């Protein structure tokens, strides 16, 4: 399986994402600079965390207009798995691939620590390796992770099981309905604020994030099985 890690000016979690795929998952991965326009050679697209374009205007607002985003949108339309983490989630929101927006954390401070998440929906290509309602530990590192949407959007997310992860125990940023990660209608675009790529080895304090990448790989392999 071939993964693309999209790199914007200001990305700083791209190396973590690359390590998770190459060294922990054991699959092919390449960095793809934001000026490129073609992602057809890849099977999955990863938008990492960081501060794309210095977070000017709004987090992800400028990155949304990068050349590469047309290819990301095309890949999403083709059904390829798209994972946006932290700033990557913000870019997905700005591009319209996911609904809602991000506000400053309710304490107006940057937060960097492990948090507990509940796996609300394990029936996705990203979470099939988890148990439903499983509690996992994944680190966060953001200043604007306070997810917001209108009541109609929240109802739609809840009724269609599109909330994939919720903060468990303590909500660190004020996110609406404790939302930590959501998915699109088709089920192939996931945005989440916590960093699964930083939880792929017990040496890092948790390996709970590795199951997410293994789930993507498992789904891809099952969809590419050739029956005779």
């Amino acid at each position: 399986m071939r993964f693309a890690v999209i790199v914007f000016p200001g990305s700083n979690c791209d190396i973590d994402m690359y390590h998770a795929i190459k060294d922990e998952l054991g699959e092919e991965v390449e960095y793809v600079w934001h000026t490129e326009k073609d992602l057809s050679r890849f099977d999955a697209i990863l938008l990492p965390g960081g501060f794309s374009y210095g977070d000017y205007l709004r987090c992800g607002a400028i990155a949304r207009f990068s050349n590469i985003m047309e290819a990301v949108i095309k890949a999403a339309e083709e059904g390829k798995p798209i994972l946006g983490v932290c700033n990557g989630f913000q870019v997905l929101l700005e591009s319209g691939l996911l609904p809602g927006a991000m506000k400053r954390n309710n304490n107006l401070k940057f937060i960097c620590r492990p948090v507990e998440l509940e796996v609300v929906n394990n029936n996705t290509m990203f979470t099939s390796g988890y148990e439903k309602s499983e509690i996992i530990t994944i680190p966060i590192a953001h200043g604007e992770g306070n997810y917001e949407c209108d009541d109609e959007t929240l109802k739609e997310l809840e009724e269609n099981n599109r909330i994939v992860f919720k903060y468990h125990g303590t909500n660190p940023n004020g996110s609406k309905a404790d939302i930590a990660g959501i998915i699109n209608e088709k089920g192939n675009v996931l945005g989440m604020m916590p960093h699964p790529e930083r939880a792929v080895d017990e040496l890092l304090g948790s390996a709970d994030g590795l199951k997410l990448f293994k789930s993507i790989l498992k789904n891809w392999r099952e969809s590419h099985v050739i029956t005779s």
Side-chain angles (χ1 to χ4, degrees):
M1 189 175 185
R2 296 181 297 278
F3 288 79
V5 175
I6 308 302
V7 183
F8 300 103
S11 296
N12 68 4
C13 302
D14 44 329
I15 295 175
D16 305 65
M17 197 74 83
Y18 187 99
H19 162 75
I21 301 303
K22 182 180 180 181
D23 300 322
E24 302 296 340
L25 192 63
E27 295 299 308
E28 295 181 25
V29 58
E30 292 180 29
Y31 295 116
V32 179
W33 190 234
H34 67 105
T35 54
E36 293 195 32
K37 299 180 180 180
D38 182 18
L39 290 169
S40 60
R41 66 188 185 277
F42 297 103
D43 304 302
I45 316 301
L46 309 175
L47 281 71
F51 305 91
S52 59
Y53 295 91
D55 280 350
Y56 286 104
L57 299 183
R58 291 183 309 276
C59 299
I62 299 177
R64 177 264 177 274
F65 293 102
S66 293
N67 288 342
I68 197 64
M69 287 309 298
E70 288 188 19
V72 172
I73 292 170
K74 181 180 178 182
E77 292 171 347
E78 292 171 349
K80 293 181 180 181
I82 313 290
L83 171 64
V85 172
C86 200
N87 189 229
F89 185 8
Q90 295 161 344
V91 174
L92 294 178
L93 293 173
E94 290 287 341
S95 67
L97 286 171
L98 292 172
M102 286 295 173
K103 303 188 298 184
R104 294 285 304 278
N105 295 342
N106 58 358
N107 65 0
L108 302 181
K109 296 180 179 180
F110 184 88
I111 304 171
C112 183
R113 68 167 187 262
V115 299
E116 288 190 340
L117 304 179
E118 177 188 355
V119 181
V120 179
N121 181 1
N122 71 330
N123 189 29
T124 78
M125 66 172 65
F126 304 95
T127 56
S128 60
Y130 298 102
E131 298 295 326
K132 182 173 174 57
S133 301
E134 182 176 347
I135 306 302
I136 62 177
T137 300
I138 306 286
I140 58 171
H142 58 252
E144 293 171 298
N146 185 353
Y147 179 78
E148 182 59 59
C149 64
D150 59 33
D151 292 339
E152 183 178 346
T153 298
L154 178 60
K155 181 180 179 182
E156 197 277 333
L157 291 173
E158 292 174 335
E159 290 181 347
N160 292 282
N161 209 20
R162 290 175 56 190
I163 300 174
V164 178
F165 297 108
K166 282 191 173 187
Y167 296 109
H168 176 74
T170 301
N171 183 331
N173 51 35
S175 183
K176 193 165 193 173
D178 300 325
I179 289 173
I182 60 172
I183 205 164
N184 67 334
E185 285 187 48
K186 190 183 291 186
N188 67 308
V189 179
L190 171 65
M192 59 188 296
M193 289 309 296
H195 289 263
E197 78 282 3
R198 294 183 177 178
V200 293
D201 191 299
E202 292 297 343
L203 286 172
L204 300 173
S206 172
D208 290 342
L210 186 57
K211 288 183 182 180
L212 187 148
F213 298 106
K214 287 183 174 179
S215 296
I216 297 173
L217 178 60
K218 178 175 180 288
N219 177 271
W220 179 82
R221 284 176 171 168
E222 290 175 349
S223 67
H224 286 74
V225 170
I226 301 175
T227 55
S228 57

